[in-house]
């Protein structure tokens, strides 16, 4: 899929990438480059958990891509806007945007984008407390990828499947799925994704009352959150550590 180099940079240095993106947007780029920059901006905003920024950047990207008649960029923009809205609990509008993306893919099929839409539907189901839907959409996304490695996307789909397995008390299956996803994630430089997998590992460990595993995961998320200047990850890491302490009766911690 077409990506601006700053979209990849945003995975490891989101604040610096955002400064570069804003500067590039202010310089009056060509229309297609503007769309790619807005998609890069949406990704950087996602990494720092600025959901309204992600929503707005996705909206800008989709609008410009529609004017260009570029279905691939249009779908990418719709997904980015949808993810921002879903993170802000605007579920109705977020789901509608995913439906719009599916309609575009019917005329312009793309396996990776289809899998990305399934990932978003899976995350929506998770937010609504529907583990069966979380697992079903995640598996549909994995099936859509087929033999395409798509490591980042595949890892996120596996993460969502592991979430559903943990919610339905399939702890061994969840551990196996997380191990598979971590093996892929460790080959990439995507600290937010690794942090998300560590959070899932902590949740499974909590269900199994494995306190050392919870503490190790919480400390890893804390370090990654500091690296990314992501306040949401920092908060979630402290929650993991606090719950682990509570599980062994360490009330002061």
């Amino acid at each position: 899929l077409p990506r601006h180099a700053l979209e990849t940079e945003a995975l490891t240095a989101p604040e610096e990438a955002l400064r570069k993106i804003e500067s590039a947007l202010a310089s009056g780029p060509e229309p297609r480059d503007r769309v790619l920059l807005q998609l890069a901006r949406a990704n950087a905003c996602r990494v720092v958990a600025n959901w309204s920024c992600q929503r707005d950047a996705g909206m800008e990207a989709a609008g410009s891509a529609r004017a260009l008649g570029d279905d691939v960029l249009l779908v990418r923009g719709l997904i980015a806007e949808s993810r921002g809205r879903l993170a802000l609990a605007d579920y109705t509008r977020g789901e509608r945007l995913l439906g719009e993306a599916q309609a575009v893919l019917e005329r312009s099929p793309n396996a990776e984008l289809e899998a990305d839409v399934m990932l978003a539907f899976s995350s929506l189901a998770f937010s609504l407390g529907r583990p069966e839907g979380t697992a079903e959409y995640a598996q549909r996304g994995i099936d859509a990828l087929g033999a395409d490695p798509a490591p980042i996307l595949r890892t996120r789909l596996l993460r969502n499947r592991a979430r559903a397995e943990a919610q339905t008390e399939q702890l061994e299956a969840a551990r196996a799925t997380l191990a598979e996803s971590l093996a892929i994630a460790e080959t990439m430089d995507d600290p937010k994704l690794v942090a998300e997998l560590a959070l899932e590992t902590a949740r499974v460990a909590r269900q199994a009352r494995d306190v050392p595993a919870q503490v190790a995961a919480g400390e890893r998320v804390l370090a990654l959150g500091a690296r990314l200047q992501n306040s949401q990850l920092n908060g979630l890491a402290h929650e993991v550590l606090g719950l682990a302490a509570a599980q062994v009766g360490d009330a002061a911690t």
Side-chain angles (χ1 to χ4, degrees):
L1 295 176
R3 285 185 173 85
H4 196 284
L6 287 170
E7 183 174 346
T8 302
E9 183 176 333
L11 295 174
T12 53
E15 296 289 354
E16 178 64 22
L18 276 170
R19 285 191 287 272
K20 292 178 181 177
I21 290 165
E22 293 297 341
S23 176
L25 285 169
S27 69
E30 293 296 319
R32 190 171 187 276
D33 284 341
R34 176 171 290 278
V35 178
L36 292 173
L37 283 165
Q38 289 291 0
L39 290 171
R41 178 173 163 241
N43 197 38
C45 294
R46 176 188 67 82
V47 174
V48 297
N50 186 338
W51 310 126
S52 58
C53 170
Q54 182 183 16
R55 174 200 62 199
D56 295 346
M59 191 187 310
E60 291 281 348
S64 297
R66 188 177 284 110
L68 285 172
D70 189 317
D71 282 350
V72 168
L73 295 181
L74 171 57
V75 171
R76 293 204 65 214
L78 291 169
I79 293 171
E81 180 186 350
S82 173
R83 289 190 191 286
R85 290 188 181 277
L86 293 177
L88 292 166
D90 184 358
Y91 299 129
T92 301
R93 180 58 180 158
E95 186 173 11
R96 191 177 303 131
L97 288 164
L98 293 176
E100 186 178 344
Q102 282 186 303
V104 176
L105 287 171
E106 286 180 5
R107 68 172 183 252
S108 300
N110 182 294
E112 190 169 344
L113 289 176
E114 176 65 27
D116 208 1
V117 171
M118 291 300 106
L119 172 62
F121 273 123
S122 176
S123 296
L124 172 59
F126 178 75
S127 297
L128 297 176
R130 299 172 182 167
E132 295 81 6
T134 304
E136 178 189 347
Y137 281 116
Q139 191 58 51
R140 285 172 63 179
I142 292 168
D143 293 342
L145 286 178
D148 183 353
I152 292 178
L153 184 52
R154 187 177 295 276
T155 302
R156 289 180 176 141
L157 288 162
L158 288 167
R159 174 205 63 197
N160 278 22
R161 194 177 77 187
R163 283 175 170 175
E165 289 164 345
Q167 281 186 310
T168 53
E169 303 295 329
Q170 302 175 68
L171 298 188
E172 288 305 316
R175 286 195 188 96
T177 301
L178 283 170
E180 182 181 352
S181 58
L182 273 167
I184 301 171
E186 298 288 6
T187 68
M188 303 176 288
D189 192 11
D190 188 340
K192 185 171 188 294
L193 182 54
V194 172
E196 291 169 356
L197 293 172
L199 286 169
E200 296 309 318
T201 299
R203 291 188 180 106
V204 173
R206 185 160 63 251
Q207 288 176 263
R209 303 191 66 82
D210 183 346
V211 173
Q214 293 175 63
V215 172
E219 289 176 345
R220 189 172 196 189
V221 176
L222 199 61
L224 291 165
R227 175 183 172 187
L228 294 171
Q229 301 178 53
N230 184 315
S231 57
Q232 184 189 48
L233 287 179
N234 288 335
L236 290 169
H238 284 297
E239 180 185 28
V240 166
L241 295 171
L243 289 170
Q247 203 165 61
V248 293
D250 181 359
T253 300

